Amino acid sequence: MADKPFDQLDGEIWLNGRFVPWADAKVHVLTHGLHYASSVFEGERAYGGVIFKLTEHTERLVESGRILGFEIPYTVAEIDAACKETLVRQGFSDAYIRPVAWRGSEMMGVSAQHNRINLAIAVWDWPSYFDPAEKLKGIRLDMARYRRPDPATAPSKSKAAGLYMICTLCKHEAEAKGYADALMLDWRGRVAEATGANIFFVRDGELHTPVPDAFLDGITRRTVIDLARARGLTVNERVIMPEEMESFEQCFLTGTAAEVTPVSEIGPYRFAVGEIATTLMNDYARAVRPETASIAAE
C-alpha cells in the first residue's frame, strides 16, 4: 500500500492542456466516465528519464478512444510532448506515467455524444509491480473466476477502463487467497492472460504464448517476442488450453507494470524459474534503459 493516498501525492498533473496542483486535479461525481466507463488509459514507464516506447503507447491511447467512439482532442505528438513535460516537472528519472481520457459531465445518461473529452497525465514513483523477493523466486497465480469476454460482446482491442472491472475482482480474490495475481481464460476456455499482463510459457527451449484475439497485444509482449527472436528462440503464438500447462517447464508474465516477471505456480501447475525466463527478464531490463538500448540497437 502507498504511504499516501494517490489523491494526496505531491506535484502537478497535466489536465486538458495545463498543469494543475496534484490535489486540484478533480472531476465531478457526475462525470460520464465514472458512471458508464467511457474512459481509456495507458500505463507507461520511464527509465533514465526516457519514456519507453512512448509513441506506441500514445497511438494505442488514441486508437482506444476511437474504438469507444470518441476522438481525443490532441495529436499523438502533443500527447507525447505533454507526457515528457510532466515527467520533467515531477522531477523523476524512473517513474510510471498514466495518461487517461474520459467523457465529461455535460450530459448524464447512457447517450452522451456531446460530452467533452478530457485528457489527464499523471506521473509518480512506482517500483516493481510485484514484491521483488517474490518476483525473483516466481510469483504464484490463482485461476480466475471470470473470463476475458468475446470480442463480439466487448471492445477487447481498446485499453478501456470498463474491461478492467473483472480484472480487479479476480486479482482481489487471488490476493485474499495468498496469491499475487490470477490467470484468466477467455470465453472459450482458452488460456488468455493475467489480470494486467500477458503470459508466456517455455517448453523444450521454445516459447509459447496465446494468440491475442480476445485481449490486448501488449507493447511489452511484442518487445519480449522481439528479444526472444533476437536470441534465436522460437516463439509460438497459438491457442493454449489450460491442461497444457502441466507440460510447460517455465512461465512468465509481461507488461509495462509487471515488466518481465517469472511465475512459479498457477493453480495446480508448477514451473521452474529457468534460464530462458531469467535471460529475457535481464534482456528486457537492458532494453528499456536508454544507455543500453542504444548500444543494443547498433
Side-chain angles (χ1 to χ4, degrees), residues 17-35:
R18 65 189 184 92
F19 285 95
V20 300
W22 192 283
D24 294 338
K26 299 176 181 178
V27 297
H28 196 273
V29 294
L30 294 182
T31 193
H32 195 270
L34 175 63
H35 291 255

Side-chain angles (χ1 to χ4, degrees), residues 8 25 51 69 151 160 168 189 214 228 239 243 258:
Q8 296 177 23
I51 302 172
T168 296
V239 171
E243 56 269 21

Side-chain angles (χ1 to χ4, degrees), residues 164-236:
Y164 284 80
M165 176 186 69
I166 57 174
C167 299
T168 296
L169 291 172
C170 293
K171 190 169 176 68
H172 284 181
E173 289 180 357
E175 290 175 338
K177 299 176 187 177
Y179 294 94
D181 205 338
L183 174 68
M184 304 183 78
L185 306 180
D186 69 12
W187 87 99
R188 298 162 294 196
R190 300 171 176 176
V191 172
E193 59 177 350
T195 62
N198 295 128
I199 193 162
F200 287 80
F201 300 95
V202 177
R203 184 173 61 206
D204 298 330
E206 296 186 0
L207 269 63
H208 301 261
T209 189
V211 177
D213 59 355
F215 53 90
L216 284 179
D217 180 7
I219 291 170
T220 306
R221 176 186 184 274
R222 296 198 299 266
T223 301
V224 168
I225 287 174
D226 289 342
L227 291 170
R229 287 176 173 157
R231 282 194 170 270
L233 296 170
T234 298
V235 180
N236 302 287

Side-chain angles (χ1 to χ4, degrees), residues 14 22 41-47 49-52 54 57-58 79-80 82-88 90 92-100 120-126 159 256-257:
W14 188 97
W22 192 283
F41 68 98
E42 276 298 318
E44 306 159 9
R45 277 195 188 271
Y47 300 90
V50 177
I51 302 172
F52 185 63
L54 171 59
H57 280 285
T58 302
I79 298 170
D80 280 356
C83 288
K84 292 174 183 177
E85 187 176 359
T86 308
L87 176 64
V88 171
Q90 284 297 96
F92 293 123
S93 177
D94 292 2
Y96 187 82
I97 299 91
R98 171 54 58 87
V100 57
I121 300 166
V123 173
W124 65 87
D125 179 31
W126 195 7
K159 195 170 176 67
T256 295

Side-chain angles (χ1 to χ4, degrees), residues 62-136:
V62 171
E63 179 60 20
S64 291
R66 288 179 182 150
I67 292 172
L68 262 61
F70 63 76
E71 295 286 335
I72 296 175
Y74 300 93
T75 66
V76 168
E78 288 170 336
I79 298 170
D80 280 356
C83 288
K84 292 174 183 177
E85 187 176 359
T86 308
L87 176 64
V88 171
R89 290 177 76 113
Q90 284 297 96
F92 293 123
S93 177
D94 292 2
Y96 187 82
I97 299 91
R98 171 54 58 87
V100 57
W102 69 96
R103 292 189 189 274
S105 54
E106 288 76 17
M107 295 174 62
M108 181 50 60
V110 173
S111 178
Q113 294 98 326
H114 302 297
N115 282 26
R116 177 180 183 176
I117 304 303
N118 301 275
L119 177 65
I121 300 166
V123 173
W124 65 87
D125 179 31
W126 195 7
S128 178
Y129 186 60
F130 295 108
D131 179 84
E134 293 295 317
K135 182 174 177 178
L136 289 174

Side-chain angles (χ1 to χ4, degrees), residues 239-287:
V239 171
I240 299 175
M241 300 306 295
E243 56 269 21
E244 285 190 74
M245 289 192 286
E246 187 174 9
S247 70
F248 293 128
E249 302 147 6
Q250 301 173 48
C251 177
F252 59 90
L253 303 181
T254 64
T256 295
E259 300 173 297
V260 177
T261 297
V263 173
S264 63
E265 178 181 329
I266 302 177
Y269 307 108
R270 303 293 183 269
F271 310 96
V273 180
E275 182 180 354
I276 289 178
T278 54
T279 295
L280 290 173
M281 180 171 64
N282 293 331
D283 284 354
Y284 183 77
R286 285 191 293 270

